[in-house]
């Protein structure tokens, strides 16, 4: 058999493995409008990485091919952004040069910041603050410094309004912190404080932002993850209440977003604004450990995202804030930056299906992240190391990139969807 005949035979064999069903789709009939909520935003590691040439090059690529409108990243106020200086005489000096550099270049590429207000400058954090990640961000609350945090947030908000204009900033979002439920006691986490400390910080942040302009959008609690146990019911996470559900029962449990109900009640009691709710609905509660393999047999099923958004929408509908937007500001196949699955093909199919199944249910679903220029655990030890990014450090795109490229090519009207076939139309052209 020659090479041409071999490939023809291979194609015929592949097609014969699937039933062929004739169906007619009326491409000129009524259609259901939809928005590309998958391209509203995308995640990145930390703000300082936005000063890298590779980071900016990768952002330009995903903007062009995937259409992302916002980027969310950690560490805006980290010490490596040199924002906050306390002089010997007690005077506070704010320095916005590094933030301006990142934001200017993002905006020049047509991408806006989805502002995550984090972490503490060392002079606002508690003395000898606990630190997390390779880049040593300060996460310990000093309850005597909430006024300083308020002033920092207010000064920052006023600065970006002065620099970019109020019409521009009214299109931005201000999210308070990242995953404050992941406490440092006793393990590594993003917040060394209590649930009440976070709620107080949200109050100070929201009041600071709204004092600049009441129309600016603020939200939270930016928690991770959806869970089916009681580890987050108290003031700090109780690791003893963390339950590992095996594959045979994991999908029989009711999974709930962390702190969402308490957060909504607190904001109602304090009469605080909540323009959007944010949280991180990863499809597994457990980060895959690549050394032990733990959690490979405890992954939630493919419909978990739909279940989680359904639960979240119900909580918001029953609250004082029924019109709050829903921004799912981190999402991926797993919350581990050394998960080999991030580099290979299956997640691309999952990304497509999960996004299409949840059309119209949220305002954004932000993939974590667009690039492997990402250093929570330091640099990757190999060019493909299971990094979160849809582009590796050298600029090679992964299957997840192509999933978003394909989603971006869809129209804005749904004509037909019966998994796996989705047919859309462009309202302006009819094509």
């Amino acid at each position: 058999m020659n090479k041409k005949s071999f490939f023809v035979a291979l194609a015929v064999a592949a097609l014969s493995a699937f039933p062929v069903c004739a169906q007619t789709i009326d491409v000129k009939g009524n259609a259901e409008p939809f928005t590309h909520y998958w391209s509203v935003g995308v995640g990145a590691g930390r703000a300082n990485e936005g000063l890298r040439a590779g980071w900016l090059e990768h952002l330009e690529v995903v903007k062009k091919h995937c259409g992302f409108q916002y980027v969310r990243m950690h560490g805006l106020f980290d010490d490596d952004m040199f924002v906050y200086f306390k002089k010997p005489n007690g005077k506070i000096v704010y320095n916005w040069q590094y933030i301006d550099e990142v934001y200017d270049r993002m905006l020049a590429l047509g991408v806006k910041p989805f502002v995550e207000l984090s972490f503490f400058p060392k002079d606002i954090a508690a003395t000898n603050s606990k630190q997390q990640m390779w880049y040593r961000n300060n996460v310990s609350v000093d309850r005597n410094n909430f006024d300083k945090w308020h002033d920092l947030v207010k000064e920052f908000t006023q600065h970006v309004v002065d620099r970019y204009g109020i019409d521009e900033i009214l299109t931005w979002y201000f999210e308070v912190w990242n995953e404050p439920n992941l406490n440092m006691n006793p393990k590594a986490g993003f917040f060394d404080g209590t649930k009440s400390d976070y709620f107080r910080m949200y109050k100070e942040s929201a009041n600071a932002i709204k004092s600049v302009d009441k129309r600016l959008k603020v939200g939270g609690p930016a928690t991770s993850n959806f869970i089916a146990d009681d580890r987050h019911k108290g003031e700090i996470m109780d690791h003893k209440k963390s339950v590992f559900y095996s594959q045979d029962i994991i999908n029989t449990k009711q999974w709930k977003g962390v702190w969402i109900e308490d957060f909504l009640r607190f904001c109602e009691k304090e009469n605080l604004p909540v323009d959007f709710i944010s949280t991180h609905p990863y499809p597994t509660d457990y980060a895959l450990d690549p050394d032990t393999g733990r959690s490979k047999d405890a992954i939630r099923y493919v419909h978990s995202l739909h279940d989680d958004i359904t639960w979240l929408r119900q909580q918001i509908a029953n609250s004082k804030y029924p019109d709050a937007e829903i921004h799912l500001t981190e999402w991926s196949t797993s919350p581990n930056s050394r998960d080999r699955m991030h580099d290979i093909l299956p997640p691309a199919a999952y990304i497509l299906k999960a996004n299409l199944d949840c059309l119209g249910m949220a305002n954004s679903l932000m993939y974590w992240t667009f690039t492997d220029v990402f250093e929570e655990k330091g640099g990757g030890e190999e060019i493909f190391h299971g990094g979160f990014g849809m582009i590796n450090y050298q600029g090679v795109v992964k299957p997840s990139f192509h999933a978003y490229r394909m989603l971006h090519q869809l129209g804005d009207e749904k004509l037909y969807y019966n998994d796996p076939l989705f047919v859309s139309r462009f309202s302006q052209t009819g094509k």
Side-chain angles (χ1 to χ4, degrees):
M1 182 182 293
N2 61 35
K3 183 179 291 186
K4 180 177 180 181
S5 299
F6 171 77
F7 282 113
V8 169
L10 184 64
V12 170
L15 289 171
S16 65
F18 298 92
V20 178
C21 301
Q23 53 187 310
T24 301
I25 300 170
D26 181 6
V27 298
K28 294 186 179 299
N30 293 329
E32 179 184 337
F34 68 92
T35 60
H36 286 207
Y37 75 112
W38 47 74
S39 62
V40 169
V42 69
R46 77 187 199 277
N48 188 269
E49 290 157 359
L51 299 170
R52 308 269 187 87
W55 190 97
L56 292 164
E57 290 167 1
H58 299 173
L59 181 59
E60 185 174 15
V61 170
V62 297
K63 172 61 179 178
K64 176 181 178 180
H65 294 283
C66 307
F68 295 118
Q69 302 167 43
Y70 293 84
V71 167
R72 172 187 180 266
M73 50 200 166
H74 304 327
L76 191 69
F77 300 145
D78 277 356
D79 290 333
D80 62 6
M81 295 300 285
F82 305 102
V83 165
Y84 193 90
F85 293 90
K86 183 178 180 180
K87 298 298 183 180
N89 63 2
K91 181 180 179 181
I92 302 300
V93 176
Y94 301 99
N95 170 41
W96 311 116
Q97 294 179 88
Y98 282 58
I99 293 177
D100 291 347
E101 175 78 4
V102 176
Y103 283 2
D104 287 356
R105 293 184 181 276
M106 287 173 55
L107 291 165
L109 293 173
V111 182
K112 301 173 185 287
F114 195 103
V115 180
E116 176 198 304
L117 299 170
S118 68
F119 294 103
F120 294 123
K122 67 179 184 299
D123 288 326
I124 291 181
T127 303
N128 299 320
S129 171
K130 293 180 181 179
Q131 297 177 320
Q132 194 215 22
M133 300 301 177
W134 172 84
Y135 49 88
R136 314 303 294 172
N137 48 311
N138 298 303
V139 298
S140 294
V141 173
D142 184 336
R143 296 186 180 107
N144 295 317
N145 285 344
F146 279 123
D147 58 334
K148 296 178 181 177
W149 174 260
H150 173 280
D151 292 346
L152 171 62
V153 173
K154 181 177 180 178
E155 292 291 333
F156 163 73
T157 306
Q158 187 63 62
H159 170 74
V160 293
V161 168
D162 293 342
R163 185 174 183 84
Y164 303 112
I166 188 60
D167 290 342
E168 170 64 28
I169 306 306
L170 287 173
T171 68
W172 294 16
Y173 293 84
F174 295 83
E175 181 185 35
V176 181
W177 213 258
N178 174 71
E179 299 183 351
N181 59 299
L182 298 185
N183 193 272
M184 291 288 291
N185 184 21
K187 301 180 180 179
F190 286 103
F191 191 64
D192 183 33
T194 65
K195 182 191 302 185
S196 295
D197 288 333
Y198 173 76
F199 289 172
R200 170 71 187 279
M201 187 167 65
Y202 180 84
K203 178 179 179 178
E204 297 294 339
S205 304
N207 288 338
I209 291 164
K210 296 291 186 176
S211 72
V212 175
D213 194 304
K214 293 185 181 300
R215 298 172 293 171
L216 295 171
K217 294 187 283 285
V218 63
T223 44
S224 176
N225 192 354
F226 277 65
I227 59 170
D229 56 41
D230 294 333
R231 80 190 79 156
H232 289 296
K233 280 202 169 181
E235 281 291 314
I236 62 172
M237 178 168 54
D238 185 347
H239 291 277
K240 295 179 181 178
K241 293 182 179 179
S242 178
V243 180
F244 185 90
Y245 295 108
S246 58
Q247 198 65 60
D248 57 332
I249 63 171
I250 193 171
N251 294 310
T252 67
K253 300 296 180 181
Q254 172 62 65
W255 295 76
K256 297 181 179 182
V258 174
W259 289 7
I260 302 297
E261 297 158 286
D262 290 344
F263 175 73
L264 289 167
R265 284 193 291 266
F266 170 81
C267 291
E268 178 177 359
K269 178 182 176 182
E270 296 290 327
N271 196 30
L272 296 174
V274 180
D275 297 300
F276 64 92
I277 289 290
S278 63
T279 191
H280 303 161
Y282 286 96
T284 173
D285 178 37
Y286 322 105
L288 176 65
D289 186 332
D291 297 321
T292 67
R294 185 180 188 269
S295 87
K296 68 182 178 64
D297 294 322
I299 305 298
R300 296 176 66 197
Y301 71 161
V302 72
H303 303 294
S304 64
L305 178 65
H306 191 280
D307 291 350
D308 292 346
I309 301 177
T310 299
W311 179 90
L312 181 59
R313 286 168 60 92
Q314 188 62 52
Q315 309 314 308
I316 296 172
N318 292 338
S319 75
K320 181 187 175 183
Y321 309 94
D323 298 324
E325 295 182 17
I326 297 174
H327 290 281
L328 307 171
T329 51
E330 281 189 30
W331 175 79
S332 182
T333 49
S334 84
N336 190 301
S337 61
R338 297 296 185 269
D339 185 344
R340 298 286 182 173
M341 191 63 70
H342 291 137
D343 296 334
I344 59 177
L345 187 59
Y350 171 68
I351 289 167
L352 291 168
K353 175 173 174 54
N355 274 282
L356 293 174
D357 282 353
C358 298
L359 272 179
M361 297 183 69
N363 297 90
S364 72
L365 179 64
M366 302 188 188
Y367 189 75
W368 187 254
T369 61
F370 77 86
T371 177
D372 276 352
V373 180
F374 182 96
E375 296 173 344
E376 286 188 353
K377 294 184 178 181
E381 59 273 22
E382 299 171 345
I383 62 172
F384 290 105
H385 56 273
F388 285 123
M390 60 180 72
I391 303 179
N392 85 337
Y393 189 88
Q394 288 76 17
V396 179
V397 300
K398 304 181 191 179
S400 55
F401 169 88
H402 291 295
Y404 281 95
R405 178 180 60 82
M406 293 175 187
L407 287 169
H408 184 52
Q409 291 175 338
L410 293 176
D412 58 355
E413 295 180 331
K414 182 177 76 173
L415 290 166
Y416 180 87
Y417 182 38
N418 186 12
D419 189 15
L421 179 61
F422 186 95
V423 182
S424 70
R425 181 176 65 197
F426 288 90
S427 59
Q428 291 188 341
T429 65
K431 293 184 179 180

